[in-house]
Amino acid sequence: MEGKSSFSAKRRETVLKAMEQETPLDLLVIGGGITGAGIALDAATRGMRVGVLEKNDFGSGTSSRSTKLIHGGLRYLKQGDVKLVQEVGRERAILYKNAPHLVVPAPMLLPVYKGGTYGYLATSIGLYVYDWLAGVARKERRKMLSRKQTMELEPLLKKDGLKGGGLYFEYRTDDARLTLDIMKTACQRGAKAVNYTEVTDFVYENGRAAGVTVHDRISGRHHEIRAKHIVNAAGPWADEIRSIDGSLKGKRLFLTKGVHLVVDSHRLPVHQAAYFDTPDGRMVFVIPRGHITYIGTTDTAYSASIDQPRMTQEDRDYLIRAVNAMFPAVKLTERDIRSHWAGLRPLIYEEGKGPSELSRKDEIFISDSQLITIAGGKLTGFRKMAEKVVDLVAGRLQQSGGKAYPSCSTDKITISGGERPEGVSYEDWKRQMIQDGIAAGVDGQTMQEWVDLYGSNALRIVKRLPESARLNIPPQLQWLHAQLTYSVEEEMTVTPADFLRLRSGWSYFNLAKAEKYRNIVEKMMNDLLDLQPEQKEAQLAMLNQLFRHLHELPVNEQQLQSMTS
């Protein structure tokens, strides 16, 4: 079992060399976020030889820093974009079917206040139209609530001016896990993907981008990878890739920052998720998740470091004020913040529009060198974005080589972790997996967490427990060793920081656990990866930086700019 997966951290260099030798690939994707993962899955499924290069870890940028909702497109209805509401509604239903371990229906309360953005009638009509356009299942269609019903559903709401509310459905997800499991599925179908590989230059033939020079940030080695077509799916870094290509002209990205706070559930004990007006007219989510509640998001123009977007004290105080205005009894303070995250939205710049007004639509740019760039878009729409890109590449490959490729079929592909026995509901399968884990010696809470994180792949971790015991790992740590071994050998986890933030989500949603086990995780991963002293130092520095950013905040954007310039 050890190191055999093509998605093993121990086989990174082998996969990278294979990518280099398989010249030229049909398609090379720059960027290992949700869009790059979706493109890789679509292309591999159609039979293309596809490679993915990600300069950090998979999903480490925008794709792990969202509100962690598979939106049905309510905000697009507000903008009058009927077609987009229909599309994201369909996409949400597809994801719910194909990744049931990561896409969970979550009822959302939309309180209606006198003088708010929408009146009661407008909210009722809007949610009805939204359900109809998005094809929402009957059991999940909106319900309008009286003032009394709204207060019974959420007693903490501000009472002054409350007229009632609307209850509709969003779908909660773990965006980092979704990105990773899609990439794993792509690799199972033949794609090659390697993290910590930075594109430093392009290779040209007759003025056409025919390959890239890559710096492996782990080994320090350089590689040259050739491809018939190259797609830039680098999210907030897309314009940097266009600059390397010398094609940064015309439309450009406009980056906005979104910030989220995490507090213990007893400090914001909302009964269920809510979406509400802030005093300045913007909208904020409050979402309970196990023993925590998270709050977001801001939407402000951003021009500091793309590699290290960070929350400022201004961001924090804005969200605290918004929550205290809507839930006046809770009286949150800065001391209640357990963790947080900040992410960047790579929007397409439009003259005269503010950050919240810019379209979330995606767009494709093709440079003179034939570099294809996909920019903009939303988490929910990643599969359709990928389909557009791969359709374009398939047409070009057929034109140049005569080979026809099938149409997109990713709507029918179960994402890794979502598998279950035929004829068994996913809820019944979850219960069975938890029982099987407990029978194998895993405590119930740990097995529940594994099933929630990994879906059916949790059983692959359970199978590693005997090996952890054979290696004389202390009994109370065998669960962690098995989880880390799986993460390294089947999820290309290269650093302890990536495990704590992206693979497990502990640094976001269980900071006490992350702090408790950080040193043990570091030691176990050093042994699993057989790291050299200088590599251990580099990994420790990344780990320290992760926790430092959770505890130290710049005062404002100006200070952040000076810290990162």
Side-chain angles (χ1 to χ4, degrees), residues 68-72 92 96 103-109 130 140 167-173 272-275 285-289 294:
K68 304 183 188 299
L69 293 173
I70 303 295
H71 288 297
R92 186 174 70 171
Y96 180 45
V103 181
V104 181
M108 185 76 63
L109 176 63
Y130 163 76
E140 295 176 2
L167 193 68
Y168 72 103
F169 270 78
E170 293 282 16
Y171 281 46
R172 199 185 70 208
T173 193
Q272 60 134 83
Y275 185 39
F285 288 98
V286 166
I287 303 173
R289 181 171 177 151
Y294 68 96

Side-chain angles (χ1 to χ4, degrees), residues 2-14:
E2 180 179 333
K4 297 293 178 64
S5 167
S6 64
F7 209 52
S8 167
K10 298 179 179 181
R11 290 178 54 82
R12 283 182 64 263
E13 290 191 67
T14 301

